[in-house]
Amino acid sequence: MSLKFIDLFAGIGGFHLALSNLGMKCVFASEFDEAARKTYLANHEIEEQFFNTDIRSASYDLIPDHDILCAGFPCQAFSHAGKRVGLTDGSNSERGNLFYCISEILEVKKPRAFILENVRGLVNHDNGNTFKVIKEELEAQGYVIYHKVLKASEFGRPQHRPRIFIVGFNKDKVDTTQPFEFPQPIPLEITMSD
């Protein structure tokens, strides 16, 4: 079965590369940053009419049906390097509360699954309350949720960049009786100079 996915807050297309390498097809993407958009279009196959500039301006019911929603939603509001104002961050395009766009799309389109990625600081932001709100919001959309902080260096890439991955499965469309398991780490066999 060929699965379809959408790529929100797409950056230069990390999710696109991974899922298309698995034979999946991107049917919609959204990225605000102009330089990232140019890079994405130069490297990934997507019709420009399905490449949105600002997810807040999209009509969610017009987003093509898809099986998996992917989103690396803005992290500045949760990062240790930022002011950590969280879901209330209204600076530069409401980046802290753009998570709610994801929730609304899940409510309208009800894909089989989603994969979200953010900084590890999201887990402990506001003494864990921010992540609690996010988890409850996703569960209210009918998804079983799993999360884990993963490092690229634990999966064969010489980069220390811990990120939280949140994976959810639609209880009405996927058998959720078997728990999801994140992949096991693999030994790091290359260096940056390699």
Side-chain angles (χ1 to χ4, degrees):
M1 177 171 76
S2 179
L3 298 175
K4 297 175 182 175
F5 68 95
I6 66 171
D7 195 2
L8 308 179
F9 313 103
I12 62 170
F15 276 123
H16 191 123
L17 180 64
L19 273 63
S20 64
N21 282 347
L22 293 171
M24 300 182 201
K25 179 173 177 49
C26 183
V27 294
F28 178 86
S30 182
E31 174 53 47
F32 190 76
D33 182 81
E34 185 178 346
R37 287 176 59 78
K38 288 179 182 175
T39 303
Y40 194 104
L41 286 169
N43 289 298
H44 304 295
E45 187 177 315
I46 188 167
E47 295 178 41
E48 272 200 74
Q49 69 188 46
F50 294 113
F51 196 15
N52 171 268
T53 303
D54 187 343
I55 196 60
R56 295 168 303 161
S57 68
S59 296
Y60 299 152
D61 56 332
L62 297 180
I63 292 174
D65 291 339
H66 53 278
D67 302 289
I68 303 172
L69 177 150
C70 300
F73 60 105
C75 63
Q76 297 92 333
F78 314 108
S79 174
H80 290 286
K83 295 179 182 175
R84 305 200 78 201
V85 293
L87 294 170
T88 61
D89 182 13
S91 172
N92 293 331
S93 77
E94 306 166 9
R95 61 188 178 199
N97 62 22
L98 287 172
F99 161 76
Y100 291 108
C101 295
I102 296 168
S103 180
E104 290 173 22
I105 293 168
L106 290 173
E107 183 177 13
V108 171
K109 302 308 291 188
K110 303 193 182 319
R112 296 162 51 95
F114 64 76
I115 308 167
L116 309 180
E117 174 265 341
N118 209 290
V119 294
R120 70 174 169 184
L122 180 67
V123 179
N124 298 319
H125 182 266
D126 190 23
N127 296 316
N129 289 322
T130 299
F131 187 71
K132 181 176 181 264
V133 167
I134 287 172
K135 188 170 184 283
E136 288 173 354
E137 183 78 17
L138 295 169
E139 288 172 338
Q141 302 300 340
Y143 289 84
V144 175
I145 310 302
Y146 301 90
H147 73 280
K148 188 170 185 177
V149 174
L150 304 173
K151 298 177 197 167
S153 60
E154 296 173 337
F155 296 93
R157 293 294 171 249
Q159 182 184 36
H160 181 73
R161 190 174 189 216
R163 308 291 283 181
I164 184 171
F165 284 84
I166 308 166
V167 178
F169 299 95
N170 186 323
K171 291 186 281 191
D172 293 332
K173 296 183 177 182
V174 176
D175 179 2
T176 58
T177 56
Q178 294 294 316
F180 171 78
E181 293 183 24
F182 284 90
Q184 293 298 311
I186 59 174
L188 182 62
E189 297 178 352
I190 60 173
T191 65
M192 285 299 289
S193 58
D194 293 331

